[in-house]
Amino acid sequence: MSPPVAPPGWSRWLVPPAALSVHLSIGQAYAWSVFKPPLESALGLSGTQSALPFQLGIVMLGLSAAFGGTLVERKGPRWAMTVALICFSSGFLLSALGASLEQYWLIVLGYGFVGGIGLGIGYISPVSTLIKWFPDRPGMATGIAIMGFGGGALIASPWSAQMLESFGSDSSGIALAFLVHGLSYAVFMLLGVLLVRVPRHAPGARGTARQAPTGPQVSAKQAIRTPQFWLLWIVLCMNVTAGIGILEKAAPMITDFFADTSTPVSVTAAAGFVALLSAANMAGRIGWSSTSDLIGRKNIYRVYLGVGALMYALIALFGDSSKPLFILGALVILSFYGGGFATVPAYLKDLFGTYQVGAIHGRLLTAWSTAGVLGPLIVNWIADRQEEAGRHGASLYGLSFVIMIGLLVVGFVANELVRPVDARHHVPAPKEAAHAERQQSESA
C-alpha cells in the first residue's frame, strides 16, 4: 500500500481531521475505568485484576510502536491506519466474546493484546506525516491530532455508561457494549484511512521531487545511543505514570474520596468526572503543545513536572475536604499528562530532526508501556492493600500520591539534564539524500 500523495492544491488542514478520526477512536482506552466496576461485579475481579486489560493495552501500545515505528515510516500513514483499524476493532469483538462466555482471559487477550497493537500503530501513524505538513508549527500540529487520543474518553465515557445502563451491567450487557464499540469504531476509523495524504515533497512519495531533510538529523538506530533519548524516556515515563495513576482509576477514586462525606459521588457523576478528565487531557494536548512552540520544550516540561508534583501534594493534603480542589487538581494533572504526549514528538524533532522522527517516537513510547504498568499497579495495589488493612476513603490513596510526587521530581531532574545532541551522532547529508532516494524507489 503506497503512501497516498496529496494532489496539487491539497489543503494541509485536511490531514489533522484524518488523524483525529483514528485518535478519537483509540482514545477510548482512557474510558476503561467505566468498565472496571461492572467487570469486578460480574466476574468477581479485584481492582488490580480489572486493570489488567488496560495495562496490557498500554504495554502493547509502546511495544508495537517501538517495533513498528520504522515499518510505519516506510509503509506510510494509510497502511498504519488500516492495521490500527483491524486490530483495535478486532480487540473489542474478542472482548465481547469473552464477556459473553464469562472468560476474562479473552477480554485481556482481545482488549489488551490485540487492541493494544492497534493502539500503538494507530497512535504513531500520523505523527511524522503531520510534522512534514507543518514544519513551521510542529507542536501545534501533533497536538491537534494527539488531542484526539486524549479526547476519546470524552465521547466514550458517557457513551459507555449509557450503554451499560441500557444493556445492563452483567456479563451479557458488557458483551453487547463491547460489540457496539468494535463495529462503530471500525466505521469511524475508516474515514481517516480514506482521507489521509502525504505531502508531495515527502521522502517515499511517488512522483515527487526528492528533498532530503534539512538541519541536523539523527537516525533511529543512533538516537537510542544518545543520553538525550534516555533522559526523555525517563521524563515521559514519569509524567505518564503520574497521570495514568489517576486516569485508570478515576471513577472509583472520586467515589472513594467522598464516600464518607455528606456529598457522596454517584456512579453517573463519577462517569462525568472521567469525561471531564478526558476534556482536560484533550485540551492540554493542543493548548500546552502549542505553548511549547512559544516558550520551548524544556520549559513546558518544567511546568508539567514541577506544577504536577504541587497538584498531587495539594490533593493528598486537602483533596478529601474540598471536592472543587480535588477535581481542579486532577484536571491540571491530566492536562499536563496530555500535554506531555503531544509535546514529545516536537521535542524529539528539535533534538533529532525529522529524518526518522516517527521511528524514534515509536521507540520512546516504550516509556508509556512501562508507565502503563507502573501507574495502575502503584495505585491499585496500594489501594487493595489499604482496604485489606481496614482503611477506606481517601486514605486508600495517600501513599500512592506520595510516590507519584517522587516520580515527578525524578522526571524534573532528567529534563534539566537534556542538552543538544552531539554532532558525532548526526547523519551526514549525503546519506540522508540516499535514504530519501532509496525510499522513493521502494515505493515506486
Side-chain angles (χ1 to χ4, degrees):
M1 186 180 293
S2 300
V5 181
W10 180 269
S11 173
R12 65 179 182 171
W13 293 101
L14 292 173
V15 180
L20 275 172
S21 72
V22 173
H23 275 233
L24 279 170
S25 299
I26 63 177
Q28 183 281 333
Y30 285 142
W32 177 253
S33 65
V34 176
F35 285 102
K36 281 172 63 70
L39 282 170
E40 291 167 15
S41 176
L43 302 181
L45 306 173
S46 67
T48 303
Q49 289 172 322
S50 67
L52 186 56
F54 176 82
Q55 287 177 288
L56 181 57
I58 299 301
V59 169
M60 293 309 301
L61 186 159
L63 294 178
S64 60
F67 289 105
T70 303
L71 190 61
V72 169
E73 287 270 288
R74 186 169 71 249
K75 295 283 190 179
R78 176 167 289 177
W79 175 88
M81 290 179 178
T82 301
V83 172
L85 184 159
I86 294 170
C87 291
F88 189 66
S89 295
S90 297
F92 267 113
L93 299 182
L94 276 173
S95 298
L97 179 62
S100 179
L101 299 176
E102 297 189 2
Q103 295 294 316
Y104 187 57
W105 68 270
L106 267 176
I107 299 177
V108 175
L109 174 66
Y111 191 93
F113 185 81
V114 179
I117 294 173
L119 288 177
I121 300 299
Y123 188 85
I124 63 173
S125 61
V127 170
S128 63
T129 303
L130 282 163
I131 288 177
K132 292 183 179 79
W133 275 109
F134 295 88
D136 52 330
R137 287 177 285 181
M140 180 212 70
T142 55
I144 288 174
I146 293 176
M147 77 173 181
F149 193 87
L154 188 62
I155 300 169
S157 180
W159 185 37
S160 299
Q162 183 59 50
M163 276 194 283
L164 290 171
E165 184 177 334
S166 300
F167 302 152
S169 57
D170 58 358
S171 59
S172 61
I174 296 170
L176 190 53
F178 283 154
L179 177 64
V180 173
H181 275 80
L183 297 178
S184 300
Y185 285 132
V187 173
F188 195 57
M189 293 172 76
L190 184 61
L191 297 176
V193 172
L194 298 176
L195 186 61
V196 73
R197 299 288 188 276
V198 296
R200 295 185 65 78
H201 64 269
R206 193 180 341 187
T208 66
R210 294 167 185 166
Q211 181 177 348
T214 59
Q217 306 294 326
V218 181
S219 69
K221 182 178 180 181
Q222 195 66 22
I224 62 174
R225 299 176 180 175
T226 66
Q228 288 83 355
F229 177 89
W230 294 106
L231 287 170
L232 279 187
W233 192 98
I234 293 171
V235 167
L236 184 63
C237 184
M238 299 300 99
N239 194 54
V240 173
T241 300
I244 215 168
I246 287 181
L247 192 58
E248 185 275 335
K249 202 175 174 66
M253 181 182 290
I254 192 171
T255 303
D256 290 336
F257 250 80
F258 299 99
D260 299 328
T261 69
S262 58
T263 56
V265 177
S266 67
V267 173
T268 302
F273 175 62
V274 175
L276 274 178
L277 292 180
S278 179
N281 189 351
M282 180 174 65
R285 289 172 189 244
I286 181 61
W288 294 122
S289 62
S290 297
T291 303
S292 78
D293 287 333
L294 301 175
I295 69 173
R297 321 303 171 195
K298 178 176 282 192
N299 285 333
I300 202 68
Y301 270 97
R302 286 169 172 152
V303 174
Y304 298 157
L305 299 160
V307 179
L310 177 62
M311 290 297 104
Y312 254 115
L314 289 175
I315 294 174
L317 292 172
F318 309 111
D320 59 337
S321 60
S322 173
K323 194 176 293 184
L325 175 63
F326 177 89
I327 294 172
L328 179 62
L331 291 177
V332 172
I333 290 170
L334 263 295
S335 77
F336 293 159
Y337 169 82
F341 277 122
T343 307
V344 82
Y347 209 161
L348 291 171
K349 181 256 184 187
D350 293 346
L351 291 170
F352 303 109
T354 60
Y355 177 51
Q356 290 187 337
V357 68
I360 298 170
H361 184 222
R363 286 160 171 77
L364 191 76
L365 290 181
T366 53
W368 195 354
S369 294
T370 304
V373 173
L374 281 179
L377 182 63
I378 291 169
V379 174
N380 284 289
W381 188 84
I382 291 176
D384 287 346
R385 300 293 81 76
Q386 298 285 58
E387 189 171 14
E388 289 172 2
R391 296 182 176 87
H392 52 84
S395 61
L396 297 175
Y397 303 98
L399 178 58
S400 60
F401 283 9
V402 172
I403 293 173
M404 295 302 179
I405 293 170
L407 294 178
L408 286 168
V409 171
V410 170
F412 189 94
V413 172
N415 182 56
E416 292 301 305
L417 297 176
V418 173
R419 299 289 185 271
V421 176
D422 192 278
R424 72 177 186 273
H425 297 293
H426 296 174
V427 176
K431 187 173 180 180
E432 295 170 17
H435 173 81
E437 184 173 346
R438 184 171 62 253
Q439 280 197 325
Q440 183 169 344
S441 64
E442 287 175 355
S443 66

